[in-house]
Amino acid sequence: MLLSSGPLAGRAQSDQRSIDSLQQRLATAAPDTNRVQLLDELCWQLNKTDLARGRRYGEQGLRLARRLQDRRGELRCLNDLGTCCFYAGDYPAVTRYYLAARRLARQLGHRRIESFAYNGLANIQSQRQELAAAQPNYEAALQRAATPAEEALSASNLGNLLIQRRQFAAAERYTRQALALYRQLGQQPSESRCLSNLGLSSCEQGRWGAAQLYLEQALRIDRALSSTCDVARDLNQLGDILSHTGQPEAALDTLRRGLRYARRCGDLPQVVDGNIVVGTAWVSADNTVKVRLANMRSISPTVGTGSYCITVVQ
């Protein structure tokens, strides 16, 4: 799981009315620091709905901030442009913006944005599977976290990275740190992700009973939140555990339910993964020599082929 480096506190994604209001104010704003702030805010507000436009606003804000020598405005624009480019998949630009944000944040003594920049750089390295290089950046982000939410984010990211590096004791320590903070903050979606990661860590170590307990907790939260994609993830992992613990019929039932949720939320990678695990459980349950997963015909070319089929031969 990859977690974003996150917004500045209190800056939640807004609806179209907020964006319209910002654009109306921008139309009459003088070329001063207030205009820089409006351009930066539009960059942030659009970073998940209209990336190209959001980036244009951020770049305009950055140019104006530099012309005005508005260093704090420049810093905010660099940070939010990094986030915008991350979602757009422009990783060279992300690296460039976050490196500049980190450098300027150090000069200004703005540890909070410095923490975000370290997190952003580590996210890019994690995405590229440069795990050893990402670890010190996540650790630096955690050291500079200014609020419990920022501490939880960095600890969760670091824990997830360490699971991938198979450093399970440290991974679980950081993940539990994040879990405790998210519970205090009442952030249930993030609490569920931490529980899922603890389940994953336990699975990787063959601690199936502990893994099942963690994932059942995550599933309860995600069902209460009606979080369809997360329910799919939880059921998929639980089905895999049941398959590994010699309960093929229960595994197959759980995996099929997870697959239905994954289709409902349109998560194609989860659908593919679910079909693969269902096929494995099907072989185990029925002792079938060959399994054709014909229900994968609907997978789009994004995943691989238009007629995706797996054959398992004993």
Side-chain angles (χ1 to χ4, degrees):
M1 182 187 303
L2 179 64
L3 301 182
S4 167
S5 58
L8 299 180
R11 295 174 60 184
Q13 297 292 328
S14 290
D15 58 21
Q16 188 59 45
R17 284 178 299 178
S18 297
I19 293 169
D20 291 344
S21 173
L22 286 165
Q23 289 175 324
Q24 288 170 9
R25 290 162 59 193
L26 182 67
T28 58
D32 55 17
T33 57
N34 178 60
R35 185 177 181 86
V36 172
Q37 185 175 346
L38 289 170
L39 287 165
D40 171 61
E41 189 66 25
L42 279 163
C43 173
W44 172 254
Q45 299 290 1
L46 289 163
N47 73 22
K48 285 187 179 178
T49 58
D50 191 337
L51 291 166
R53 193 155 56 111
R55 184 171 179 173
R56 286 197 298 272
Y57 281 127
E59 289 168 345
Q60 289 174 38
L62 182 60
R63 287 194 296 270
L64 180 58
R66 285 172 170 168
R67 190 164 73 242
L68 297 171
Q69 298 185 351
D70 176 10
R71 301 186 81 201
R72 289 191 172 272
E74 179 183 355
L75 181 58
R76 288 192 299 270
C77 288
L78 287 168
N79 182 71
D80 288 341
L81 277 166
T83 302
C84 193
C85 291
F86 180 84
Y87 288 129
D90 186 349
Y91 296 153
V94 176
T95 303
R96 185 173 67 251
Y97 284 129
Y98 277 135
L99 283 172
R102 186 179 68 179
R103 185 167 53 249
L104 183 54
R106 283 175 178 168
Q107 293 172 9
L108 298 177
H110 203 309
R111 287 174 63 87
R112 198 167 172 214
I113 292 188
E114 189 181 357
S115 174
F116 289 145
Y118 272 112
N119 235 322
L121 289 167
N123 284 345
I124 292 300
Q125 290 164 328
S126 296
Q127 196 80 332
R128 292 171 169 164
Q129 288 300 298
E130 299 168 0
L131 304 182
Q135 184 169 340
N137 281 328
Y138 278 139
E139 290 169 344
L142 181 58
Q143 291 168 3
R144 290 159 176 77
T147 67
E150 292 159 21
E151 180 185 345
L153 173 70
S154 296
S156 177
N157 281 350
L158 183 54
N160 182 265
L161 177 87
L162 290 169
I163 291 172
Q164 296 178 70
R165 300 198 71 192
R166 303 190 68 80
Q167 298 177 21
F168 297 119
E172 291 181 13
R173 183 171 69 251
Y174 284 117
T175 305
R176 288 195 184 96
Q177 177 184 348
L179 177 62
L181 288 165
Y182 282 132
R183 281 174 170 164
Q184 291 173 17
L185 294 165
Q187 295 186 13
Q188 287 190 305
S190 297
E191 178 185 348
S192 168
R193 284 194 296 270
C194 287
L195 288 165
S196 178
N197 281 344
L198 287 168
L200 176 61
S201 178
S202 297
C203 283
E204 290 291 318
Q205 299 171 77
R207 294 164 43 212
W208 305 112
Q212 185 169 347
L213 289 173
Y214 284 129
L215 287 162
E216 285 172 346
Q217 292 179 64
L219 180 59
R220 282 196 293 272
I221 292 171
D222 294 329
R223 277 181 167 155
L225 295 172
S226 299
S227 181
T228 305
C229 288
D230 290 331
V231 169
R233 174 203 67 196
D234 300 334
L235 289 170
N236 197 27
Q237 289 183 270
L238 280 168
D240 195 32
I241 291 167
L242 291 167
S243 182
H244 276 91
T245 53
Q247 304 173 68
E249 290 82 7
L252 200 50
D253 177 65
T254 302
L255 290 165
R256 283 170 171 160
R257 285 188 286 123
L259 197 51
R260 286 197 293 271
Y261 277 98
R263 287 178 178 141
R264 195 181 307 164
C265 78
D267 187 340
L268 286 180
Q270 185 82 276
V271 171
V272 172
D273 188 41
N275 271 288
I276 291 169
V277 182
V278 166
T280 304
W282 191 359
V283 170
S284 177
D286 296 341
N287 198 30
T288 306
V289 173
K290 187 178 356 180
V291 176
R292 289 190 180 275
L293 300 183
N295 53 1
M296 296 194 73
R297 286 195 301 267
S298 61
I299 300 301
S300 75
T302 304
V303 175
T305 68
S307 180
Y308 198 96
C309 181
I310 293 179
T311 301
V312 181
V313 179
Q314 287 186 326

